[in-house]
Amino acid sequence: MRFLLTDEQREFARTLDGMLGASGTPAVVRAWAAGEHKPGRALWARLAEAGVFGLAVPERHGGTGLLPVELAVSFTELGRHAVPGPLVETVAAAAFLERLGSDTVAGEWLPRIAAGEAVLSLCAGAGPYALDADAADAVLVVQGDTVCRTDTHGPVQTSLDPARRAARPLGGTVVARGSAVTAAAAHAIEVARLATAAQSLGLGRALLAATVSYVKQRTQFRVAIGSFQAVKHRLADTLIALEFAQPLVHAAALAVAAGAPSAGREVAAAKVAAGEAGHTAARTALQLHGALGYTEELDLSLWIRKARPLRDAWGTPADCRARVLTD
């Protein structure tokens, strides 16, 4: 099994990094948090042009097929730049619709997802909340062996990350019932966990890079605080956590691509490692930035506040560890 990225995959990552770096994502995040979706939808369209959403859509519907490794590469960059919106939920919805086996429903939504024209949210379980239901064109709600589609929702709830806006879906029309729904939902959860793990990995790397830069500039007792042994150890621990998580994310992507029986277990392991590593990076950034780390006006806070919600999204660490141990 090859864990190294190909030249094409690395170039894809560099292209996304350059595009997002020039997109002013902090302003986009702040607008999204305020309920203003226009800048976010504009960035969404640019991501679609770059082929990000097509990575979860089969070729017959205008995509490139499910390419889990490239999907992980792209979501690492989305996490690195803290791009807002139901990105994970939309690609998970695409994976769900592709596996559902309904050409009518797939034909309605998948081409629009690939083209960046449709934003979907997907949720499952009793009493579910949908991420960014107010910005989505539709919400797919999976409960047991039934999936419903709705475009109405209750009041928007705030969270630790102000750009993650959740609301309870209301009403809806039954799209499908039966064992195909259950199987499609299981596949969609794998894809969602993989994409979320990659986001956490990218987020953690961005936080670490920002913190390293800061401790080289901040001085105490007339020397840079980055020269203190305790600071070095904290940064080294954060780097090691991220370095250990990265091959797990790539291995999980390869397992999903191969349709391996162990894919669910490997994705869960990657989700735990990357989520915890990203959360560790956020705590390190918060501590080593001192009082600045608590300042909402500082753009870094937009990254710090995403770490814990991403760690818990699509399966808490406890849920994912249980998956690894019981599979």
Side-chain angles (χ1 to χ4, degrees):
M1 182 177 288
R2 178 183 175 85
F3 288 91
L4 296 176
L5 297 177
T6 65
D7 291 341
E8 291 80 5
Q9 289 163 344
R10 285 193 290 270
E11 181 58 30
F12 181 45
R14 284 191 292 269
T15 299
L16 287 177
D17 183 34
M19 183 192 82
L20 293 170
S23 296
T25 53
V28 176
V29 174
R30 294 186 191 281
W32 194 275
E36 173 52 56
H37 303 128
K38 186 175 179 180
R41 290 295 292 252
L43 182 55
W44 193 284
R46 294 185 65 190
L47 291 171
E49 288 178 7
V52 171
F53 301 111
L55 296 171
V57 175
E59 291 183 26
R60 68 182 183 279
H61 290 297
T64 54
L66 179 59
L67 299 177
V69 176
E70 285 76 6
L71 196 68
V73 168
S74 65
F75 271 78
T76 299
E77 297 307 317
L78 297 178
R80 190 190 304 275
H81 292 277
V83 178
L87 301 155
V88 169
E89 288 68 25
T90 295
V91 298
F96 174 82
L97 292 172
E98 192 276 329
R99 284 292 180 94
L100 189 59
S102 173
D103 289 337
T104 301
V105 179
E108 177 185 1
W109 289 106
L110 292 181
R112 295 177 60 197
I113 290 174
E117 298 170 356
V119 174
L120 296 187
S121 193
L122 176 72
C123 58
Y129 279 83
L131 181 66
D132 293 316
D134 60 325
D137 297 297
V139 178
L140 298 179
V141 183
V142 180
Q143 293 182 300
D145 65 352
T146 302
V147 57
C148 295
R149 167 190 164 185
T150 181
D151 56 7
T152 59
H153 58 84
V156 174
Q157 306 292 322
T158 58
S159 70
L160 179 63
D161 174 6
R164 291 180 68 86
R165 298 158 54 83
R168 191 185 297 275
L170 300 176
T173 303
V174 174
V175 174
R177 284 193 177 95
S179 59
V181 172
T182 306
H187 174 62
I189 289 171
E190 278 188 5
V191 172
R193 285 181 174 177
L194 175 63
T196 304
Q199 269 190 312
S200 294
L201 181 62
L203 179 85
R205 291 209 176 277
L207 285 166
L208 178 60
T211 307
V212 169
S213 177
Y214 179 75
V215 300
K216 288 179 179 178
Q217 300 170 21
R218 172 71 185 273
T219 60
Q220 193 171 19
F221 308 116
R222 298 182 179 180
V223 297
I225 64 172
S227 64
F228 299 159
Q229 197 71 11
V231 172
K232 290 180 179 179
H233 279 299
R234 186 67 185 265
L235 293 170
D237 289 343
T238 302
L239 175 61
I240 289 170
L242 291 167
E243 289 294 311
F244 272 90
Q246 181 167 314
L248 289 178
V249 172
H250 289 172
L254 289 168
V256 173
S262 64
R265 183 174 67 249
E266 295 192 47
V267 169
K271 174 72 168 54
V272 171
E276 295 286 19
H279 190 234
T280 295
R283 294 175 63 188
T284 298
L286 184 64
Q287 181 180 30
L288 297 187
H289 276 80
L292 280 176
Y294 292 92
T295 305
E296 288 191 7
E297 290 75 15
L298 183 70
D299 286 346
L300 188 72
S301 68
L302 303 176
W303 275 255
I304 290 175
R305 295 176 71 173
K306 286 184 181 296
R308 183 163 182 173
L310 282 179
R311 185 194 69 172
D312 295 340
W314 291 101
T316 65
D319 292 335
C320 291
R321 287 190 177 98
R323 178 78 164 92
V324 171
L325 294 172
T326 61
D327 195 1

